[in-house]
């Protein structure tokens, strides 16, 4: 009886190679695509047909958009996670959830092995391996492109030899699309200088006039846009479309790969850019000083673990409990103005706003304390600094 | 013999009131203005004349721009400090240095008391009090506006009674200018929603075409612009002027005051915005992953202490030692493109760039490790996660 | 009609003074004692009788031991909180819970004011004031000892004038007892050098032979001792008694008061000392590296906020959510050996032990990875360090 | 011409095997022992003779005690580093310095390869590999025990075949001695429960009466003992001897290895235990609240990086700059009392003591602030907590 393998399939050159190659090794190859929001129904159908045509024993589309939001994106938003102050972890996060869905299916199909198309150079191999090891401990992991160190040309050569017909032209830009952003690599991102040209980005900038929008949050989750109640995933999709038409959320991420080298990649993430800044703007009004301060540290950790594929570590569950708890009052409206290539948070409205006129307006004399209270506060707040100074002088410092 | 007081004087309504009021109490009032880069020579001359005219026994201008840069701004830049991810601490930082300069002079003049014009509502009173207490421990601190809870109208009334002639019209926007940014308060910042209109900002947007610039850093300090070597303070001034003409660096800061209430203030800080993002862009290429991660935490602390007027705390010296040490390799050029109301870092060039082609290009197969190395790495990197999963299953979790 | 005040009463000189003094001001004085585990039934009865005899309109004992454990101690244990690596926050924590119980009663009794016997020198006044302000915003806070700056002698004089009979002898050591430890102040703690003598501690050391005990934890809570199931509060009481007979958990805490000066106080906390070290010993076996690392930072924050009386800040709720989540697997037995004045954790047993022999023994060659995997791991784990070195040499550093 | 290899040699079974084995492969084997304070002059001579006898082309003893102190231990002490609140990183730290010394010599000798005797199971292989990779990038790393997965019996068999005569009895406890502590492994440390017996520890407990000592620190470094000025390394040696005679500093460390599994090892570290607690006791008196708080976080990082062999990462240089700066006032005497198996810090004396009687005694009414100041402080310190409560009630929370 043939050994069975489940291949994480995306329809590109690398995973097409893997599909043929694994069959040539004698495997019964099952394919699956874990969709995190990067494909249309039509694209998914085309890919399914293609997989079967290339010999897949079965093909499944795993729609994980909702679980990706519920278990991943939601917390990235709670934490306002922007890796290195820039990157919403668009691709990093979705790999973990794709790997988990594939692993789940591998266990259901009772396959002997599990395969992915990652090279040996980057983060993805680690993210896939980590999740597979943890969730499918008995199964062999096969990564043909990594193991055989194949060049693009060698892959094409092999596929042609196996009579595979597909478009072998190399796209100028390699694009990875998902609900939480699109990464874009090209010649400008290979070196340390250079920004992606307009045409590298999948969205087209069509708007020139500025536009005011209102985003509604409930306990940290986006639940409405311009007065219309929507599910969070729908808000994200709508903001990706709208923000994309303004060219919002484009930047270049420079960071440390899990393997220790620096990497540079372009991205376009309109919804994450707008939502994170809006959410953060609301938090500044409704969270305490200590919540803001401590949450900032926690979020750095959450982003770090997510980036390095360690999301299954129970530390992430603990951080999520913290983050969820912190959102109890993050409810209200945020007013944002979009303009070409930029946007501005104009303000918020919330019943939990601590800048509340229950107590008088900021900047004016208020009823919360007297001048003497303020003097007393300043005196005691500075008492240690004063003692330190005095002691130093006395010690002849 | 008359008691002597030194008044931190800025020429506005509040400190003019203080100057007259303190004389009415029988004090010999000396005035001083600590300039952090917010005044022209002409403005300073006018203010000096005015102080003497209002009865100041002496008036001094303390030019502290360079020390403000060397001992404060420099570290804020090393730390990429943006309070609540937005505000470069434009005003917060300068208050501390102004207070220190005033305190130094108070000790030289051997005055009995030291006075400032802060109200009892905001941060400034605390910053002044803290520094005065530590550096002039024997001297009384007088803050007439705070102590007498005066309204604007009462101050004007008092000044008119004392035959003071000055412009008593209230400006629509209260502006505080310094080398590291300008704060702008107005009716839009009193509530939780509303952005400042164009006319509220001191700079005028005159540019519409995008412009490429090159900023040169040496050990973290900006030392050149577009190929011309300059002192750091000169780079900052040039970028304030240039960025101002693009309307860059405008935003609203929402944060916790030292006294526990939330506050909201507009600001315009072109040079800080551009320099911090450029500096950070360079750091991402030349610092190690751990340097970036640890530095981020340190910088939050440094910003927090600076914001709360606790800069004299020796913890700040320790953080500065850390920050200075972290800049050893932050040397190179940063390429930035300015456009109206926004800018983009396009890349960097540095002999310390860790994304170096000594070792092959990112994204391609490299010579640093083999496929087996990568597999081994991933296996061990994920071993704890795998054990945790296994142990949980075994324990029937 | 008389104004009503609720006095937090402990039966000592200070609160006896307050009870008489507040009556002399015309108040109807109600008293309450919030018991955190520091009194016997008999002591509480004596104090109640005394309060009524001194004129209290009513007296209530608020038994808050269980809520103190459930909402406070439990999280201090989860977090292994030892302030400045030494002090289990014995007194700090109980003040907050006492203040909350008193505030609750004040609202029920609908009193006009709320009073406490703290001086103006230390932490307790801040802890009381903070909680009262937040939970009884309309009520006046009266702290007679603080306001009148009374000396001990003046208080005694006043009480004698009012015919109060009580023991006015000053104890050599001031002791504050509660479930989570006893603080002890005396002449040795006033300066910076000196340890408390044997007689200063309430417990008597009666044991000389070492003794093995087994503490059982379930999700981080102590639920059994030496094979006997017990409620957490009972485990704590039993360990306080047992550890006390060995003189375990005695030390001196040096720290920063909320007011900025340094303070020094002796304490005896047998149960906290043993439980925290045992709990931590168990955690080292069942938590991931990242859980341990992140939890350590969180716990510092939780201890800091608790110490400074800021436990009502919602940041504490968020940290508690983190801590609770982190305890999911902190279940098992800890083996401890007690000896006079010290104890040693000998080991643990847990179904969640990650040092599990499912995978072979530590120190021996194991089946989790091969030599090649380890080489690959080390190579990649060190790749950034190597690049940094190389780049530095190349740049002529 | 023969290829040359430098072997890190310790004289035990593993490195003796390597020495013979590498010769059998045709290498000219040079040996070196990097002494971190764990050997007597006599032991070193014996090992040198043995190495030559086993065929080493040359043997060198590298005395790195002083540099180990200056560049490593010193900062571990500044940071009060106890991994997992227990372990002074006795072995972890010395491996890095041994590896560096060996790497330096390898470059001087211009060898082709560099060898160590680590297995594939533990931390040491990673620490050696990391340093060798960074400092000797061109040289092959050979770890025969790891690569050949040899059992103890196979090594002995091989050595006997090669006519090597040495004591092949397995010691009951494997001991690794250095200036900053001795690790001890044995059957009790293989599982999760069990403490090492008296005879497992190298030191013998000979003292029963308690003894007072005085340790003198200057800018954080130990420079005197009982009134006698000494070099830091001498203080450490003296405290190891003295503390060892009391059985002080013995414990079991449970922690995460670099490879992700949990490990457990006994240790005896009298000087680190006493010095760290004494140093910390002094710091509590002379550092500000913020210095203590921030330093605690920094130190966790420094310990973590040192533990994982990443000491060459420039982040360590930055942390060292922080730590060094923090020690400016850590000068004074610490009074410690030793007793069998335990010790107690009794107090300190320092001209920088912030608990200074310049300002009155702690616990008494002081001259630094008034009752009104304290009330005002508490009011404002709690204002945010109060607003949060009020806003919540108003919002119907």
């Amino acid at each position: 009886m043939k050994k069975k393998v489940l291949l994480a399939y995306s329809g590109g050159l690398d995973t097409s190679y893997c599909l043929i190659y694994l069959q040539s090794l004698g495997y019964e190859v099952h394919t699956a695509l874990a969709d995190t929001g990067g494909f249309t129904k039509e694209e998914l159908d085309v890919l399914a047909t293609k997989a079967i045509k290339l010999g897949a024993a079965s093909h499944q589309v795993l729609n994980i958009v909702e679980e990706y939001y519920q278990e991943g994106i939601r917390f990235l938003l709670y934490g306002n996670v922007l890796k290195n102050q820039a990157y919403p972890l668009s691709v990093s996060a979705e790999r973990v959830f794709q790997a988990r869905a594939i692993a789940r299916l591998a266990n259901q199909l009772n396959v002997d092995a599990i395969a992915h198309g990652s090279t040996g150079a980057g983060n993805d191999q680690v993210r896939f391996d980590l999740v597979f090891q943890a969730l499918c401990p008995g199964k062999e992991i096969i990564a043909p492109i990594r193991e055989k160190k194949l060049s693009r040309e060698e892959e094409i050569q092999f596929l042609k030899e196996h009579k595979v017909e597909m478009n072998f032209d190399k796209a100028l830009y390699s694009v990875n699309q998902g609900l939480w952003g699109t990464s874009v690599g090209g010649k400008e991102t290979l070196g340390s200088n250079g920004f992606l040209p307009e045409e590298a980005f999948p969205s087209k900038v069509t708007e020139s006039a500025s536009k005011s929008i209102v985003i509604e949050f409930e306990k940290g989750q986006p639940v409405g846009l311009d007065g219309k109640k929507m599910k969070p995933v729908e808000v994200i999709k709508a903001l990706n479309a709208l923000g994309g038409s303004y060219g919002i959320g484009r930047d270049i991420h420079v960071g440390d790969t899990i393997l220790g080298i620096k990497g540079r990649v372009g991205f376009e993430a309109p919804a994450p850019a707008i939502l994170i800044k809006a959410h953060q703007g609301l938090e500044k009004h409704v969270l305490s000083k200590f919540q803001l301060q401590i949450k900032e540290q926690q979020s750095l950790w959450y982003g770090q673990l997510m980036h390095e594929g360690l999301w299954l570590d129970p530390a992430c569950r603990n951080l999520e409990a913290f983050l969820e708890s912190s959102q109890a009052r993050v409810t209200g409206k945020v007013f944002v103005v979009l303009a070409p290539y930029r946007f501005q948070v104009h303000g918020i409205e919330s019943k939990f706003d601590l800048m509340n006129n229950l107590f008088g307006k900021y900047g004016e004399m208020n009823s919360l304390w007297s001048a003497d209270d303020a003097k007393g506060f300043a005196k005691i707040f500075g008492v240690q600094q004063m003692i330190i100074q005095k002691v130093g002088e006395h010690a002849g410092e």
Side-chain angles (χ1 to χ4, degrees), chain A:
Chain A
M1 207 181 111
K2 267 188 175 179
K3 277 182 142 186
K4 293 201 287 184
V5 64
L6 176 63
L7 169 66
Y9 177 77
S10 71
L13 177 66
D14 289 339
T15 54
S16 297
Y17 170 87
C18 292
L19 175 44
I20 302 296
Y21 172 72
L22 290 164
Q23 293 176 67
S24 80
L25 294 184
Y27 278 100
E28 176 183 309
V29 188
H30 298 260
T31 56
L33 185 154
D35 176 22
T36 55
F39 298 92
T40 62
K41 176 83 180 62
E42 292 68 37
E43 289 167 338
L44 291 171
D45 288 346
V46 168
L47 289 171
T49 309
K50 189 173 159 192
I52 299 299
K53 196 175 150 202
L54 292 183
S58 77
H59 177 78
Q60 295 196 34
V61 173
L62 310 168
N63 184 333
I64 57 169
V65 174
E66 187 63 26
E67 74 179 71
Y68 176 34
Y69 170 78
Q70 287 296 342
E71 299 183 66
I73 290 176
R74 190 162 60 99
F75 298 105
L76 294 171
L77 178 56
Y78 291 169
N80 307 314
V81 175
L82 291 176
K83 192 82 182 79
N84 290 10
Q85 284 85 29
Y87 180 54
L89 295 180
S90 311
V91 172
S92 330
E94 70 186 36
R95 283 294 170 274
V96 167
F97 288 89
Q98 289 170 328
R100 191 178 60 160
I102 297 288
R104 210 159 42 201
L105 181 61
N107 288 331
Q108 285 164 15
L109 295 179
N110 204 17
V111 297
D112 303 286
I114 187 161
H116 60 82
S118 314
T119 73
N123 287 318
D124 284 350
Q125 60 173 333
V126 182
R127 294 179 187 132
F128 276 118
D129 281 17
L130 255 56
V131 174
F132 293 167
Q133 279 166 219
L135 300 184
C136 312
K139 307 197 189 303
E140 192 189 355
I141 299 170
I142 312 175
I145 314 296
R146 169 170 72 187
E147 280 143 32
K148 301 171 66 78
K149 296 192 197 188
L150 293 169
S151 71
R152 188 175 169 77
E153 287 65 36
E154 291 166 315
E155 294 181 40
I156 293 172
Q157 180 64 24
F158 177 89
L159 287 173
K160 286 184 175 165
E161 283 167 10
H162 285 77
K163 315 288 178 211
V164 174
E165 287 168 29
M166 61 184 283
N167 180 1
F168 291 123
D169 295 347
K170 191 181 177 186
L172 279 171
Y173 294 96
S174 72
V175 168
N176 184 96
Q177 204 151 358
L179 183 67
W180 203 237
T182 300
S183 67
V184 185
K187 66 177 192 298
E188 292 85 357
T189 60
L190 288 178
S192 299
N193 188 13
F195 196 72
L196 292 166
E198 198 68 32
E199 63 269 24
F201 294 100
S203 70
K204 294 303 148 222
V205 179
T206 55
E207 302 293 331
S208 58
S210 69
K211 180 183 172 69
S212 294
I213 60 171
V214 184
I215 305 170
E216 204 169 333
F217 288 91
E218 206 174 297
K219 292 184 188 285
Q221 300 196 64
V223 296
L225 191 59
D226 290 337
K228 201 179 143 196
K229 289 276 167 190
M230 295 165 102
K231 288 189 163 184
V233 167
E234 299 312 310
V235 176
I236 297 170
K237 285 181 179 168
L239 285 174
N240 272 332
L242 184 58
S245 69
Y246 279 95
I248 284 170
R250 299 174 173 185
D251 202 350
I252 290 210
H253 167 54
V254 181
D256 297 285
T257 62
I258 312 173
L259 299 114
I261 59 170
K262 297 279 180 187
R264 198 162 173 267
V265 68
F267 65 89
E268 171 174 86
I274 296 167
L275 280 172
I276 286 174
K277 194 131 197 228
H279 175 264
Q280 192 166 47
L282 179 54
E283 285 194 332
K284 291 179 190 180
H285 281 268
V286 301
L287 298 189
S288 77
K289 164 185 155 181
F290 289 111
Q291 288 185 293
L292 289 169
Q293 197 174 347
I294 298 170
K295 198 170 154 289
E296 200 156 352
Q297 292 187 346
Q298 297 328 297
S299 303
L300 289 174
W301 274 115
Y302 193 72
Q304 184 66 20
L305 292 170
M306 181 69 98
H307 166 67
E308 299 204 340
L310 295 167
W311 180 83
L312 289 176
D313 194 292
C316 287
R317 302 299 81 69
N318 309 156
L319 291 165
E320 288 161 0
F322 175 95
L323 291 169
E324 176 120 44
S325 165
S326 73
Q327 300 299 297
R329 287 184 173 195
V330 186
T331 293
K333 292 175 183 164
V334 185
F335 306 95
V336 179
V337 175
L338 311 181
Y341 305 105
R342 64 189 181 91
F343 65 99
Q344 181 71 43
V345 173
H346 276 216
I348 68 105
E349 187 185 300
S350 167
K351 63 179 172 176
F352 294 116
D353 188 358
L354 298 178
M355 206 175 110
N356 199 295
N357 51 22
L358 284 176
F359 310 100
K361 288 203 166 20
Y362 173 62
E364 301 182 353
M365 207 53 199
N366 64 61
S367 57
L368 290 168
W369 61 78
S370 69
D372 277 349
D373 291 334
K375 275 183 78 165
F377 174 78
K379 185 178 281 180
I380 292 177
F381 192 64
V383 84
Q384 186 163 96
Q385 207 167 256
M386 184 274 283
I387 293 174
I388 289 169
Q389 191 75 19
K390 253 306 196 16
V391 165
E393 284 162 18
H394 200 257
E397 201 183 42

